[in-house]
Amino acid sequence: MQGLKDKTIIVTGGGGGIGGATCERLALEGARVAVFDRDLAAAEKTAARITAAGGRALAVACDITLRSQIDAALQTTEAALGPVDVLVNNAGWDVFKPFTQTTADEWERLIAINLVGALHMHHAVLPGMVARKSGRIVNIASDAARVGSSGEGVYAACKGGLVSFSKTLAREHARQNITVNVVCPGPTETALLSAVTDTAPNPDKLREAFTRAIPLGRLGQPQDLAGAIAFFASDDAGFITGQVLSVSGGLTMNG
């Protein structure tokens, strides 16, 4: 893809499945990747895979619910890799249960990670992009935001908010050559999906139901998302902003 070589890119949740695959794909395209994760050991594993393959990566401990940690992580990143060209907001968390069985403490954590954390990241990184009149932001939401998902009410609300927030920022910053787009995964083989299915009364039955519902006949893999994210981060998507792309094997078809 065009325009990723030598770009500095932050990926939040870079120690996880989709985040890790995205970091590796961006590094393969020649980018300098800052792997943000609250679990430093997981971030270091992703960074080690990248450097072993000849790429450039920096593991950075960062809890995106804490603005002070974000500011420190951003300072570390720019000192080591240069000004941030691309932000990929990927970090997320979910709990799978009917809304009436959830608790206010769970809502607060869901909102803090899936929505407020992303707001913090935008607020920290955007001023530099505005000053340079250039930037790409890719927000990872969910098809739950587009069509709803039983057992994920608050998570869907957060991701729906991220979609509308992204469209608003795309309008506000288009004149500064900053694009903001959204990728919505469907059911994907990650630790988060395992955490969701494992809480169900019959995890195997739930996974089978997810798989049967997908027209392409399989669950997504982290690498399936990485290509779409890399596209929105690249110059190939330079005339695309405010858009939402489902990567779900046809589970949702929006037109």
Side-chain angles (χ1 to χ4, degrees), residues 59-78:
V60 185
C62 183
D63 182 342
I64 62 168
T65 67
L66 301 173
R67 179 57 187 267
S68 60
Q69 287 199 20
I70 291 172
D71 291 341
L74 179 59
Q75 184 176 8
T76 297
T77 297
E78 295 195 326

Side-chain angles (χ1 to χ4, degrees), residues 169-179 241:
L169 288 193
R171 291 183 181 277
E172 290 183 356
H173 293 288
R175 296 296 184 183
Q176 286 117 23
N177 193 34
I178 298 168
T179 64
T241 195

Side-chain angles (χ1 to χ4, degrees), residues 35-195:
V35 186
F36 279 30
D37 204 290
R38 64 182 300 178
D39 183 346
L40 181 58
E44 289 174 337
K45 288 179 182 178
T46 297
R49 290 196 300 271
I50 290 171
T51 55
R56 291 168 291 178
L58 175 70
V60 185
C62 183
D63 182 342
I64 62 168
T65 67
L66 301 173
R67 179 57 187 267
S68 60
Q69 287 199 20
I70 291 172
D71 291 341
L74 179 59
Q75 184 176 8
T76 297
T77 297
E78 295 195 326
L81 303 179
V84 175
D85 301 293
V86 180
L87 170 62
V88 179
N89 281 302
N90 167 75
W93 178 73
D94 196 8
V95 59
F96 191 82
K97 61 176 73 171
F99 175 69
T100 56
Q101 296 177 21
T102 60
T103 67
D105 286 345
E106 288 171 335
W107 307 344
E108 289 178 7
R109 186 179 178 201
L110 284 160
I111 294 167
I113 295 172
N114 295 303
L115 183 56
V116 177
L119 300 185
H120 282 315
M121 289 301 307
H122 285 84
H123 202 256
V125 171
L126 265 170
M129 291 182 174
V130 169
R132 293 185 296 274
K133 292 183 169 55
S134 178
R136 300 271 187 272
I137 297 175
V138 187
N139 289 321
I140 313 308
S142 169
D143 267 356
R146 309 192 80 173
V147 298
S149 177
S150 298
E152 297 182 284
V154 180
Y155 177 82
C158 293
K159 294 301 189 178
L162 186 58
V163 169
S164 57
F165 177 70
S166 299
K167 290 176 177 288
T168 298
L169 288 193
R171 291 183 181 277
E172 290 183 356
H173 293 288
R175 296 296 184 183
Q176 286 117 23
N177 193 34
I178 298 168
T179 64
V180 186
N181 291 292
V182 182
V183 173
C184 285
T188 305
E189 289 273 16
T190 63
L192 180 60
L193 180 67
S194 295

